[in-house]
Amino acid sequence: MDLTLDGVGTRLGGRWVVDGVDATPPTGALTGLLGPNGAGKTTLLRMIAGLVGPESGAVLVEGENIQTIPRRTRAQRIALLEQESTSSVPLTVREVVALGRIPYRTLWGNDPDGAAVDRALVSARAEHLADRAWWSLSGGERQRVQIARALAQDPDLLLLDEPTNHLDVSAQLSLLAFVRDLGTTTVAALHDLNLAAAFCEHVLVLKDGRLAAAGHPLEVLTPDLLKAVYSVEADVLSNPRTGRPVIAFHEPEQPEHP
């Protein structure tokens, strides 16, 4: 799906939390949405999903304003996975994944594509979890099931808010490699800059709601950019296996005592 952010902005509590963002994430690739806490990442994701209307500019999908697309159609074309909250709901994994089919159900509650849930479980490599209770899953298993729920929507655009939170290193690497290889236009808010550098084809860097930089991680994640946006000193090295950037942060200098 082609996605264009055309000068989008919105206020919360009278403050511009997203302010005039222009960007065109590449189609069919993983774009990392980066920035410090409070930079506007979650709000921008919700604007792209059509859940928050912009006060300025427009979110365009395939050239069409997201706000003019009927809600049911949006739910079929766009999947948003927000930050997970702990839940003990008495559902099986299959039932959780089936929630992704709600936008397609008929008035009688039937799903015209009865195999969609099974396909999504297989695609997310979660079919072995299908009969497990949702509450019994580990954090990594839950994230994979949530991805399966999103895939069950058969979306053209996938939006992820901190998908690697609370996952161990192996689960983080596995999840982002899986998302990268989907071939679906994906925008993921990420805190870990090295994960973004390793897996994203494109990054958008926000500071105070404004777009500070956009492009390939090799071009964008420079020491000067990191200092300007995150107020940190860092060296940007090259991964000897992949050539991707590896960021080595410096310990803050301590003030000298007289």
Side-chain angles (χ1 to χ4, degrees), residues 160-218:
L160 309 175
D161 195 1
E162 302 295 347
T164 58
N165 268 5
H166 312 302
L167 301 186
D168 61 35
V169 172
S170 176
Q172 290 177 351
L173 298 177
S174 175
L175 179 69
L176 287 180
F178 169 71
V179 171
R180 177 199 61 198
D181 294 340
L182 281 173
T184 300
T185 303
T186 302
V187 181
L190 298 169
H191 268 307
D192 191 316
L193 300 181
N194 278 310
L195 286 177
F199 290 98
C200 294
E201 182 66 23
H202 190 80
V203 293
L204 306 175
V205 184
L206 297 182
K207 181 182 180 183
D208 298 327
R210 297 180 178 179
L211 188 64
H216 193 279
L218 278 169

Side-chain angles (χ1 to χ4, degrees), residues 6-21 43-44 46-48 50-59 65-67:
D6 185 12
V8 292
T10 194
R11 287 176 290 191
L12 294 177
R15 182 177 69 88
W16 288 94
V17 292
V18 176
D19 189 0
V21 173
T43 300
L44 184 56
R46 290 176 63 81
M47 291 174 71
I48 295 171
L51 302 179
V52 175
E55 294 185 48
S56 64
V59 175
N65 191 322
I66 190 70
Q67 294 298 314

